[in-house]
Amino acid sequence: MSPVVARVVPDVTGLDKQFDYLVPDAWREDVGAGTVVRVGLAGRRVGGWVVAVGPPDPDVPAAKLRPLAKVTGHGPSAALIDLAAWASRRWAAGRLRPFLLAASPPRAVPALPAPAVTAGRPGPVDAGAARLLAGGGGVVRRPPSADPVPVVLAAAAVGPTLIVTPSVDQARLLGARLRRAGLSVAVVPRDWAAAAGGVDVVVGARAAAWAPMPVVGAVVVLDEHDEALQEERAPTWHARDVAVERARRAAAPCVLVSPVPTLNALDWAGDRVSAPTRNEERAGWPILEVVDRRNDEPWRRSLVSSPLIKALRDPERTVVCVLNAPGRARRLACRSCRALQRCERCQAAVAQTRDGLLRCARCGTERPVVCQVCGSSALVVLRPGVSGLREELEAAAGRPVVEITGDSADEAADAAAAVFVGTEAVLHRVPRADVVAFLDIDDELLAPRFRADEQALVLLARAARVLGPRADGGRLLVQTRLPHHEVLDAVLHADPGRLSGPALARRRELGLPPVRALAVLSGAGAEELAGALRTDPTVAVAGPADGRYLVRAADPDALGAALAAAPRPASRVRVEVDPPRI
DNA sequence: CGGACAAGCTGA
DNA sequence: CAGCTTGTCCGG
């Protein structure tokens, strides 16, 4: 018999090469593209993935070939390996490993269970979603508090369905409900083997876009707008885009579901959008109360307005206050000499931390609470942070106010209280409220990020979910100096579509996604890579600004091709394609 | 990534 | 010239 070799991607970080190994005759049946193996490499044993099997490469001297050391079990299928190669190019990763890792079981899977596919009618389906699924898929817009299950059931009626959600908790909860409805369900990564064997529904968080399925009948991405769907470390792959491409390759319909679909999703869908009726959508959003801060008396700097005080004082109501400013104070001035307090090293404004020190947000330098100009220790707060605000709110409310921070998890204190204050993390921690107040929504509306408008709307949709449908009587209170901003207008009319048009026009004007594809280069080698890309007529390079370069291309494919073609510098470069926060 | 090996520096 | 650090290359 002629020898058979396996091309293996070793599971070793920073090693983006593939190596050939002999497949022992006894294992020929067990080894194919996607098999997880162990191999000897440079004197040690490492895990790896077989990405291809075939005759020996004539460029590799036969004497160097060593046999595979062990067959561990099942891994990503050939189709997923191809998808990983696509993603590697799409997000300029230059390696397969991060994607193969996402597509692999958490533990060895020596054998797959038999398929467990049911044939039932588990419940009513969403008509709009069903229509889209029949036509290849699209965007399904549904109000914030709408139940996703009818959409999922519409997809499950088409065939084995892959569902991607932003969080593991959401996936588990949904999995349990679908199981109760009579479907066979695999929640990945836990039930990886069952998913690979074949079930009605595979559900999981971001990495579920890479879950194993013998047949992909339909794909659903829930809360498509949620930034948790994007990997934050490079390669910054987005589960929505992976899911869309996977569905396309499988010729399966894909639906992206969200109360506030992103421009990326709408751009992909074109006219394949299902929106609720005006009445349904209005019923699914809470009433918006806009507090116009331009009416504040000029001497009044407080973020606690009278409509907010009214809500705080009502003992019957659970109130959540959101301010994206951690710490005691964000901006301070000296009481005696009026000097704005800045960092002595880098001149940025200093903030006061929870433990009372002054800290520079840019360089991290800390100093005690002393005016750098006159030495006075009496400072006035120009702009409070969450910790400082808590006391002010408590005084106004006349009842306990609990600060919720990103890390603290004092469930007991949470349960006893009815007024909460925190950064946006508070919206993930408090399940239900009667009032959600954004103390300074302008922070979000005016944030210097190109997706600021979308992200502000996402925040408001999250609050809407905490408040429940309009019939529950919850109130979304926003304090602003921009009462007619498109984002607030969209929420006021419970019509996210009002933002899409103007926002897309701005993106077009500025050459930003989804109109053009974008990458950010940073790190020591950024300059060199940017220089190489400047000779490529298919991309436009801007910068440097803050040591970073922006690279634009007509679309993600062109961007990926240009980044793959440019020689990688020896020094480190971080390439962020579709940068989530710019 | 981690090991092997070569080149360069230091101290006696 | 041993002993050590730093850098570059390579693994099948």
Side-chain angles (χ1 to χ4, degrees):
Chain A
M1 262 199 293
S2 54
V4 171
V5 301
R7 173 139 292 188
V8 173
V9 172
D11 183 8
V12 175
T13 48
L15 176 61
D16 50 358
K17 280 174 77 176
Q18 304 180 1
F19 300 91
D20 291 345
Y21 291 85
L22 281 169
V23 180
D25 292 344
W27 294 347
R28 284 200 186 179
E29 295 298 310
D30 310 322
V31 173
T35 308
V36 179
V37 294
R38 288 189 79 75
V39 294
L41 182 73
R44 57 207 168 113
R45 279 279 187 98
V46 298
W49 297 271
V50 175
V51 292
V53 170
D57 180 343
D59 295 343
V60 178
K64 286 180 109 181
L65 282 178
R66 317 220 286 110
L68 296 170
K70 188 182 173 215
V71 173
T72 306
H74 292 266
S77 64
L80 282 173
I81 293 171
D82 286 347
L83 188 66
W86 167 82
S88 168
R89 194 177 168 84
R90 165 76 172 73
W91 283 281
R95 59 216 150 100
L96 291 178
R97 183 176 174 270
F99 306 108
L100 295 179
L101 216 49
S104 294
R107 270 176 297 282
V109 175
L112 298 184
V117 190
T118 64
R121 290 201 142 271
V125 306
D126 181 89
R131 221 171 9 255
L132 279 181
L133 284 155
V139 164
V140 178
R141 191 172 94 206
R142 310 181 84 234
S145 24
D147 180 10
V149 165
V151 175
V152 171
L153 295 182
V158 174
T161 300
L162 175 65
I163 305 169
V164 183
T165 72
S167 78
V168 186
D169 283 350
Q170 252 170 293
R172 263 201 289 265
L173 232 56
L174 183 62
R177 286 185 62 195
L178 295 172
R179 210 169 269 145
R180 277 200 297 279
L183 294 166
S184 63
V185 177
V187 179
V188 288
R190 195 191 58 198
D191 308 329
W192 193 96
V199 289
D200 296 326
V201 174
V202 175
V203 57
R206 182 171 61 215
W210 299 95
M213 290 180 81
V215 177
V216 179
V219 176
V220 179
V221 180
L222 292 179
D223 283 341
E224 163 281 322
H225 60 269
D226 199 310
E227 59 188 37
L229 290 172
Q230 184 167 26
E231 174 65 52
E232 49 201 25
R233 294 163 311 207
T236 50
W237 60 274
H238 199 300
R240 178 226 301 135
D241 302 334
V242 174
V244 164
E245 176 66 11
R246 187 170 180 187
R248 191 188 70 76
R249 288 165 176 244
C254 177
V255 289
L256 307 179
V257 186
S258 171
V260 285
T262 60
L263 293 176
N264 284 62
L266 294 170
D267 180 61
W268 165 75
D271 58 359
R272 297 171 302 154
V273 177
S274 155
T277 65
R278 287 286 66 244
N279 279 342
E280 281 166 355
E281 198 159 36
R282 263 174 54 84
W285 283 83
I287 290 173
L288 178 75
E289 184 174 349
V290 176
V291 178
D292 188 347
R293 293 187 62 213
R294 293 175 306 175
N295 303 335
D296 287 0
E297 292 82 348
W299 46 265
R300 202 181 144 74
R301 272 193 309 263
S302 171
L303 283 172
V304 186
S305 65
S306 31
L308 177 58
I309 293 173
K310 197 169 155 232
L312 288 167
R313 289 209 176 136
D314 182 346
E316 298 297 306
R317 297 210 256 181
T318 299
V319 183
V320 170
C321 300
V322 185
L323 182 69
N324 263 346
R328 292 190 61 77
R330 304 304 293 173
R331 213 170 339 277
L332 304 104
C334 175
R335 190 182 295 274
S336 41
C337 78
R338 300 268 138 203
L340 181 71
Q341 297 302 298
R342 301 163 73 184
C343 172
E344 54 227 321
R345 233 182 91 208
C346 76
Q347 303 297 299
V350 293
Q352 190 174 25
T353 59
R354 274 158 64 83
D355 42 13
L357 291 170
L358 298 183
R359 183 187 164 83
C360 171
R362 190 191 292 163
C363 71
T365 308
E366 292 189 348
R367 71 163 201 262
V369 183
V370 174
C371 170
Q372 79 218 98
V373 177
C374 72
S376 161
S377 61
L379 302 182
V380 289
V381 174
L382 298 180
R383 176 89 166 74
V386 165
S387 302
L389 195 65
R390 196 197 67 81
E391 293 149 35
E392 195 183 346
L393 289 169
E394 201 159 72
R399 50 182 173 152
V401 175
V402 170
E403 179 190 352
I404 304 237
T405 61
D407 38 66
S408 82
D410 190 348
E411 309 285 341
D414 292 9
V419 184
F420 303 89
V421 59
T423 60
E424 63 175 275
V426 70
L427 294 173
H428 294 282
R429 292 272 298 280
V430 178
R432 208 76 187 148
D434 302 301
V435 178
V436 174
F438 287 87
L439 299 202
D440 190 358
I441 195 74
D442 300 348
D443 251 7
E444 314 301 326
L445 298 176
L446 302 173
R449 302 184 298 254
F450 79 83
R451 281 189 230 273
D453 44 13
E454 272 188 332
Q455 287 164 342
L457 188 58
V458 164
L459 217 50
L460 292 163
R462 194 165 287 154
R465 211 166 262 179
V466 171
L467 292 165
R470 184 161 298 216
D472 286 9
R475 275 186 181 268
L476 184 47
L477 192 150
V478 298
Q479 304 188 149
T480 181
R481 290 192 163 86
L482 302 163
H484 303 297
H485 193 283
E486 284 144 6
V487 169
L488 301 180
D489 188 52
V491 176
L492 184 71
H493 293 89
D495 183 4
R498 286 182 176 236
L499 175 63
S500 313
L504 185 62
R506 279 192 293 272
R507 302 279 182 90
R508 183 167 292 121
E509 183 96 354
L510 298 169
L512 291 166
V515 182
R516 308 211 73 202
L518 186 67
V520 174
L521 315 180
S522 57
E527 187 179 354
E528 196 184 331
L529 183 56
L533 286 165
R534 283 197 211 270
T535 65
D536 187 329
T538 66
V539 296
V541 180
D546 281 342
R548 303 190 305 180
Y549 295 81
L550 288 189
V551 184
R552 287 182 173 85
D555 55 70
D557 287 339
L559 184 60
L563 288 166
R568 277 295 167 109
S571 31
R572 279 194 160 280
V573 204
R574 181 175 153 89
V575 181
E576 268 185 297
V577 176
D578 309 331
R581 297 227 155 216
I582 268 286

